[in-house]
Amino acid sequence: MDFIAISQGLMDGFVTTLLLFLLTLVFSLPLGLLVAFCTMSKFAPLRILFKLIVWVLRGTPLMLQIFVIFYVPGLLTDGQFVWPTMNTGWVWFDKTVSTRFLAALVAFSINYAAYFSEIFRGGIESINKGQTEAGMVLGMTKSQIFFKVVLLQVVKRILPPMSNETITLVKDTSLANTIGVIDLMYKASEQLLNGYIWVIFYAGLFYLLFTGLLSLLFGYIEKKLSYFKA
Amino acid sequence: MAYLTIENFNKSFGNTKVLKGINLSMEKGEVVSIIGSSGSGKTTLLRCINFLETPDNGVMMLDGSTLFNSEQNYKDSEKILREKRLNFGLVFQSFNLFPQYNVFNNISLAPTLLLKDKLKELKKQLKAQKLSAKEIKTRINEFKENEKKIIEQDTFELLEKIGLSDKKDAFPCELSGGQCQRVAIARALALKPKILCFDEPTSALDPELTGEVLKVIRSLKDEDRTMIIVTHEMGFAKHVSDKIVFMADGIIEEEGEPKTILENPKSEKLKAFLHGVSEKDGE
Ligand SMILES: Nc1ncnc2c1ncn2[C@@H]1O[C@H](COP(=O)(O)OP(=O)(O)OP(=O)(O)O)[C@@H](O)[C@H]1O
Ligand SMILES: [Mg+2]
């Protein structure tokens, strides 16, 4: 097989990787914020429940969680439960693996929500209480204080750990191929088994380029927010 | 009846009684300074007045209406609490400016957010009058533009008052401590509080920067603003106050005219406190 065809194949896989990455962020970021608020709740049962959930999700391997999400529902229901097929109709999105993709997406979103929630919680708790109190004596509502006063300071503070976590996510997406999601890693290992050793390095280059771009992006945002000290 | 009346404020944190029955009253336009050693409950009192803490016991009346009464058996809603807070302003020891906003926006942020609330109210009113959607829109826009202009003008005036007109675009991290505190004062004034409270406004400042802040507070006194000032600056308290209150161990040990309090203290605790202060100043 020639270089062009292999590149084409890797590109197809990369689109799946990219999609898994982006959709995971779309779901896990807001979910993580919600979980963060739950773990900071004054209502003890809620707080303890969510701290427990976060502890389990961060304390067990992501691959185990992927297996649980993908296999266990079906096994428990004697095959009654099947992850639904998404009929996207997108040409580059292989319909036959989309059930696997969906399961992977759910597992990634939940797992990363747990990690992000810890980062968010740390960030929010690190903001001086005086900021909230200043907002209160100025007659602001709780949501105004969060969105207009606290949030940007939190964003600035958590940028470095978020950058790390996001880059880890890029690399973690390769775990999806263990349940047969046809991503970049899947395509590359296919070719590796066909005897094309260089393809695995070629795929590495894809990942490297992707994480490199993310680093640049985070660096850019960090610079954008350097006009104030928080 | 006095402008502000506080009766029997009590406040405990866990097992520590911090306020043990505070009674305080002041007239409109008066400046009351609160002095007392560390841990005597001065900050806690200011925080109770500003609804940052809820007293366990007590009553607070302002301008003839009851703002707080521990006897009432319902809890204020978030909205009511916010409205009550707006009667007071509080300047913190550590400024607590919003770092991501420049000086101008630090001052105008809260009034701008309040304007949003006002616009919502107005919209409701206009809708109740069954005006057409277009009419409502033009009325609201008119009101909004007008109010925005007022906020902007107020902010410029406040900047001039604190002598920082040329710093309006600077961010808090680019200012000195004294400048930060002046901005914090302007920010509190922007909401036109009935009573402005200060919690050791110069304690976090280098000695050479306290003067500029005290000067601003003195200028507020000249405008007959009603103020409560917790301070360790005895000389300043003497000049600016109509009344000095000495707190010790959660009670008001002694209060009176500045001259009497500072030059003819009666209680042993106040004598000891003043002695300690003058010794420190003598170093
Ligand atoms: N949130 C809190 N929880 C527990 N204890 C508190 C709390 N706030 C204040 N205290 C205690 O209440 C006492 C009075 O504190 P407060 O800050 O009111 O004193 P202060 O007169 O302002 O002192 P300073 O001159 O040092 O500012 C102190 O012993 C303090 O430890
Ligand atoms: Mg204090």
Side-chain angles (χ1 to χ4, degrees):
Chain A
M1 217 194 273
D2 63 344
F3 181 73
I4 306 258
I6 288 181
S7 299
Q8 197 79 58
L10 289 189
M11 208 53 209
D12 283 350
F14 180 70
V15 169
T16 303
T17 294
L18 184 67
L19 199 66
L20 184 56
F21 169 80
L22 288 177
L23 288 177
T24 299
L25 285 186
V26 165
F27 293 117
S28 62
L29 287 173
L31 190 61
L33 192 60
L34 209 67
V35 173
F37 283 127
C38 289
T39 57
M40 290 187 292
S41 166
K42 279 189 196 128
F43 183 56
L46 187 72
R47 185 178 65 235
I48 292 166
L49 175 70
F50 273 87
K51 285 205 166 180
L52 206 70
I53 294 173
V54 169
W55 176 63
V56 171
L57 288 171
R58 298 195 340 142
T60 56
L62 175 54
M63 202 194 292
L64 182 149
Q65 292 164 27
I66 295 172
F67 280 20
V68 168
I69 299 269
F70 185 56
Y71 294 116
V72 170
L75 292 174
L76 280 184
T77 57
D78 266 341
Q80 293 288 303
F81 180 89
V82 196
W83 282 96
T85 313
M86 283 194 298
N87 216 334
T88 58
W90 295 329
V91 279
W92 38 263
F93 197 78
D94 190 344
K95 247 197 310 190
T96 57
V97 296
S98 59
T99 67
R100 294 160 187 277
F101 181 88
L102 194 61
L105 177 59
V106 170
F108 276 103
S109 298
I110 293 175
N111 180 268
Y112 270 80
Y115 277 96
F116 287 146
S117 79
E118 282 295 277
I119 296 178
F120 293 157
R121 186 175 63 86
I124 293 170
E125 284 177 349
S126 78
I127 302 299
N128 187 338
K129 235 179 78 211
Q131 291 289 307
T132 307
E133 290 182 347
M136 281 162 78
V137 293
L138 290 169
M140 295 182 195
T141 64
K142 277 184 180 154
S143 82
Q144 285 172 341
I145 291 173
F146 182 75
F147 287 106
K148 300 284 177 179
V149 175
V150 176
L151 186 60
L152 196 61
Q153 298 181 49
V154 173
V155 169
K156 185 181 163 97
R157 289 231 180 135
I158 66 174
L159 226 39
M162 284 303 280
S163 164
N164 282 335
E165 212 54 57
T166 313
I167 284 168
T168 306
L169 173 60
V170 172
K171 295 177 289 179
D172 274 355
T173 54
S174 64
L175 288 173
N177 91 84
T178 57
I179 56 167
V181 175
I182 305 183
D183 68 341
L184 176 58
M185 195 61 205
Y186 188 100
K187 289 278 192 189
S189 54
E190 215 174 42
Q191 295 303 334
L192 182 68
L193 296 178
N194 286 341
Y196 294 95
I197 298 172
W198 58 271
V199 175
I200 203 78
F201 295 101
Y202 189 23
L205 214 59
F206 271 79
Y207 283 112
L208 208 54
L209 219 65
F210 191 8
T211 53
L213 274 176
L214 279 177
S215 292
L216 285 179
L217 178 69
F218 273 98
Y220 173 78
I221 302 174
E222 227 163 288
K223 212 169 153 198
K224 272 270 161 190
L225 292 182
S226 67
Y227 69 91
F228 73 92
K229 281 203 187 76
Chain B
M1 181 152 204
Y3 189 56
L4 175 75
T5 321
I6 289 169
E7 279 167 23
N8 196 32
F9 261 18
N10 278 278
K11 178 75 189 171
S12 302
F13 294 109
N15 287 329
T16 22
K17 278 197 163 180
V18 178
L19 299 182
K20 305 171 189 166
I22 299 284
N23 295 295
L24 184 72
S25 63
M26 66 189 294
E27 296 301 329
K28 197 172 177 173
E30 263 188 349
V31 175
V32 171
S33 288
I34 302 178
I35 60 173
S37 50
S38 183
S40 53
K42 307 179 298 291
T43 297
T44 307
L45 177 58
L46 280 194
R47 290 173 60 84
C48 285
I49 293 174
N50 281 275
F51 293 91
L52 289 177
E53 307 280 1
T54 315
D56 305 327
N57 243 311
V59 177
M60 177 161 72
M61 314 245 287
L62 176 69
D63 209 0
S65 60
T66 307
L67 286 189
F68 178 79
N69 186 347
S70 55
E71 299 287 300
Q72 77 182 24
N73 46 16
Y74 58 89
K75 237 181 126 186
D76 281 331
S77 71
E78 183 68 24
K79 189 161 182 272
I80 301 282
L81 207 55
R82 279 199 297 132
E83 276 166 13
K84 287 184 173 179
R85 279 199 187 108
L86 285 174
N87 287 303
F88 302 93
L90 178 59
V91 174
F92 299 85
Q93 186 174 339
S94 49
F95 331 134
N96 293 334
L97 291 181
F98 305 132
Q100 72 270 42
Y101 293 105
N102 65 20
V103 167
F104 187 92
N105 289 331
N106 256 285
I107 299 172
S108 63
L109 178 66
T112 309
L113 292 176
L114 274 184
L115 172 59
K116 277 189 191 164
D117 284 355
K118 272 195 221 162
L119 288 175
K120 262 186 219 154
E121 289 286 314
L122 180 68
K123 200 167 184 178
K124 252 190 228 156
Q125 278 174 25
L126 292 178
K127 268 196 181 146
Q129 290 176 27
K130 299 217 162 40
L131 294 174
S132 71
K134 203 178 148 202
E135 176 75 21
I136 291 179
K137 210 171 173 188
T138 46
R139 289 253 198 123
I140 284 183
N141 272 338
E142 229 169 66
F143 181 76
K144 190 166 142 191
E145 288 312 310
N146 197 28
E147 291 286 305
K148 268 188 171 169
K149 257 185 222 140
I150 294 175
I151 291 174
E152 195 170 303
Q153 209 175 332
D154 282 355
T155 307
F156 279 122
E157 273 168 26
L158 285 166
L159 280 167
E160 189 155 339
K161 185 175 292 183
I162 59 169
L164 288 176
S165 298
D166 54 331
K167 293 279 185 196
K168 73 178 173 59
D169 297 319
F171 287 89
C173 62
E174 299 163 340
L175 301 179
S176 73
Q179 291 170 331
C180 280
Q181 194 59 299
R182 280 144 70 193
V183 175
I185 294 172
R187 183 177 70 171
L189 286 173
L191 290 171
K192 307 185 170 72
K194 291 180 178 160
I195 299 183
L196 185 54
C197 305
F198 296 82
D199 190 6
E200 302 191 33
T202 59
S203 289
L205 301 178
D206 292 336
E208 69 268 23
L209 298 177
T210 59
E212 56 186 80
V213 173
L214 298 182
K215 199 175 126 197
V216 170
I217 302 177
R218 219 172 279 133
S219 76
L220 297 177
K221 160 80 181 162
D222 295 338
E223 295 171 10
D224 288 331
R225 280 194 191 268
T226 317
M227 297 189 279
I228 303 176
I229 308 172
V230 171
T231 183
H232 285 302
E233 304 270 339
M234 294 305 149
F236 172 70
K238 188 175 171 183
H239 280 113
V240 84
S241 326
D242 298 292
K243 179 162 85 181
I244 292 186
V245 168
F246 170 65
M247 278 181 73
D249 294 324
I251 59 165
I252 291 182
E253 182 80 17
E254 201 170 328
E255 62 176 285
E257 280 185 19
K259 247 189 136 107
T260 327
I261 290 288
L262 296 178
E263 286 164 17
N264 283 313
K266 286 189 200 75
S267 79
E268 290 307 316
K269 279 184 186 163
L270 178 53
K271 278 179 197 164
F273 174 75
L274 291 175
H275 189 68
V277 171
S278 63
E279 250 181 15
K280 234 187 255 161
D281 286 348
E283 267 171 22

